[in-house]
Amino acid sequence: MQSSGHRFRDVEHHPLLAENDSYDSSSSEADMAERVWFIRDGCGMVCAIMTWLLVVYADFVVTFVMLLPSKDFWYSVINGVLFNCLAVLALSSHLRTMLTDPGAVPKGNATKEYMDNLQLKPGEVIYKCPKCCSIKPERAHHCSICKRCIRKMDHHCPWVNNCVGEKNQRFFVLFTMYIALISAHALILCGFQFFSCVRGQWTECSDFSPPVTVILMIFLCLEGFLFLTFTAVMFGTQIHSICNDETEIERLKSEKPTWERRLRWEGMKSVFGGQPSLLWINPFAGFRIRRLLLRAKKGGPEFSV
């Protein structure tokens, strides 16, 4: 067995923290478990708010412009319930993606004490991130916006104001799926509404004037088409990445896998958890309501409790 000093020379790509800098890995992990994750990035917060406003706009047009004025009661009820349920699931998935720790590596764990506890084998090499001063696990990458190394980081998405990583990829997949579904539903309803209004010569097809109705529906069609295209592509690439056990960063960098790949259903099970069930498409699964006292963490990108 090598001595600690020899082991440090093998792994010291960058200077480690001073020996007198204390780091308690157990307390750090516990603190992270109790932390409310929220990235304080201006661009990301604006994009997240825009996402919610666009979904609310779509819900307003579908409900008040197309469904409520309809004379077909069951048509309005069924489509109204379906669209609003999908919208709630989409926004819930968005919140879970945004407020879930994506798999951040504890900051500042690159200490001599922590290295000794790793019980490294002779000649084994590990890497230290010089930006957040942490030991980088396999497949972790540093995010300059989150200011952390993220396990199995796929990419940083400003629309959810968070990284997509090991712990929140499932919610991101659900978010893209539900946004694609409500976008497709809105486009179908717009098609029926235009047909109904033209056939009725724009009389009594909406409580709004014909020009206002046309403008609102055109904007909804543009929004629906753009969102459907974007989220359907993202959903497809995410499922492909999961089934191939390869993140987007790894694919772009053409990194050769040094890990044992979990392909297809094994990959899906590792991300969504357990055997296929309705829980896979439920963004509320595993959610526990807790009383949280938010306070901003000084010098950090996330809130802590």
Side-chain angles (χ1 to χ4, degrees):
M1 178 65 72
Q2 292 174 309
S3 65
S4 297
H6 188 87
R7 193 160 63 235
F8 282 137
R9 289 196 294 272
D10 286 336
V11 300
E12 268 191 87
H13 297 287
H14 299 279
L16 292 170
L17 294 178
E19 290 187 39
N20 56 0
D21 290 342
S22 62
Y23 175 78
D24 187 343
S25 60
S26 60
S27 63
S28 178
E29 294 289 349
D31 290 342
M32 290 180 66
E34 295 297 326
R35 184 173 300 150
V36 174
W37 184 270
F38 182 78
I39 302 301
R40 292 179 289 182
D41 174 59
C43 177
M45 289 188 286
V46 169
C47 289
I49 293 172
M50 284 180 59
T51 301
W52 275 68
L53 291 178
L54 289 170
V55 173
V56 171
Y57 169 78
D59 188 69
F60 169 80
V61 176
V62 167
T63 303
F64 293 98
V65 178
M66 292 189 283
L67 296 181
L68 287 182
S70 176
K71 296 180 180 180
D72 191 332
F73 175 76
W74 289 111
Y75 171 84
S76 300
V77 170
I78 293 174
N79 282 286
V81 170
L82 178 60
F83 188 88
N84 281 277
C85 286
L86 290 175
V88 169
L89 290 171
L91 294 178
S92 300
S93 301
H94 182 272
L95 275 179
R96 293 300 299 274
T97 308
M98 181 171 62
L99 300 179
T100 298
D101 176 359
V105 179
K107 282 184 178 180
N109 64 353
T111 63
K112 184 177 183 298
E113 177 187 0
Y114 182 67
M115 296 281 290
D116 288 335
N117 293 332
L118 292 178
Q119 298 180 345
L120 298 175
K121 298 178 181 178
E124 184 176 356
V125 176
I126 59 175
Y127 297 93
K128 173 202 168 201
C129 177
K131 297 178 181 178
C132 59
C133 208
S134 62
I135 300 299
K136 293 181 68 171
E138 188 177 37
R139 307 185 70 184
H141 293 85
H142 186 86
C143 175
S144 59
I145 299 176
C146 296
K147 298 181 175 63
R148 301 290 286 274
C149 284
I150 307 297
R151 294 183 178 92
K152 288 185 66 176
M153 176 180 171
D154 188 85
H155 68 286
H156 185 95
C157 179
W159 295 103
V160 297
N161 189 34
N162 202 0
C163 275
V164 177
E166 184 178 64
K167 295 183 179 180
N168 68 346
Q169 186 175 25
R170 168 177 170 248
F171 302 122
F172 181 75
V173 172
L174 294 181
F175 168 66
T176 57
M177 181 183 74
Y178 286 125
I179 289 294
L181 288 176
I182 65 173
S183 299
H185 192 193
L187 289 173
I188 293 172
L189 291 177
C190 281
F192 280 116
Q193 187 71 11
F194 271 119
F195 178 77
S196 175
C197 290
V198 170
R199 186 179 59 179
Q201 297 182 350
W202 297 93
T203 58
E204 299 182 358
C205 75
S206 174
D207 293 336
F208 295 86
S209 64
V212 174
T213 300
V214 170
I215 292 174
L216 291 174
M217 292 176 61
I218 287 177
F219 275 116
L220 179 59
C221 286
L222 291 174
E223 175 191 341
F225 176 76
L226 292 174
F227 267 54
L228 175 60
T229 303
F230 175 74
T231 54
V233 170
M234 286 300 302
F235 176 78
T237 56
Q238 287 294 301
I239 295 297
H240 180 268
S241 296
I242 293 171
C243 290
N244 287 280
D245 196 11
E246 183 182 46
T247 66
E248 187 66 17
I249 292 178
E250 291 164 350
R251 186 186 67 82
L252 292 175
K253 290 185 175 181
S254 299
E255 295 183 2
K256 294 182 179 180
T258 57
W259 60 92
E260 183 180 354
R261 281 188 164 181
R262 290 175 288 189
L263 303 179
R264 298 180 177 85
W265 279 114
E266 291 302 317
M268 295 290 288
K269 291 177 185 178
S270 68
V271 172
F272 289 90
Q275 296 296 324
S277 67
L278 291 178
L279 293 177
W280 278 23
I281 60 174
N282 179 14
F284 301 102
F287 178 73
R288 297 178 181 178
I289 299 177
R290 297 180 301 174
R291 295 176 59 183
L292 301 176
L293 302 175
L294 297 178
R295 65 178 183 270
K297 182 180 179 183
K298 295 182 180 180
E302 70 276 355
F303 289 144
S304 58
V305 293

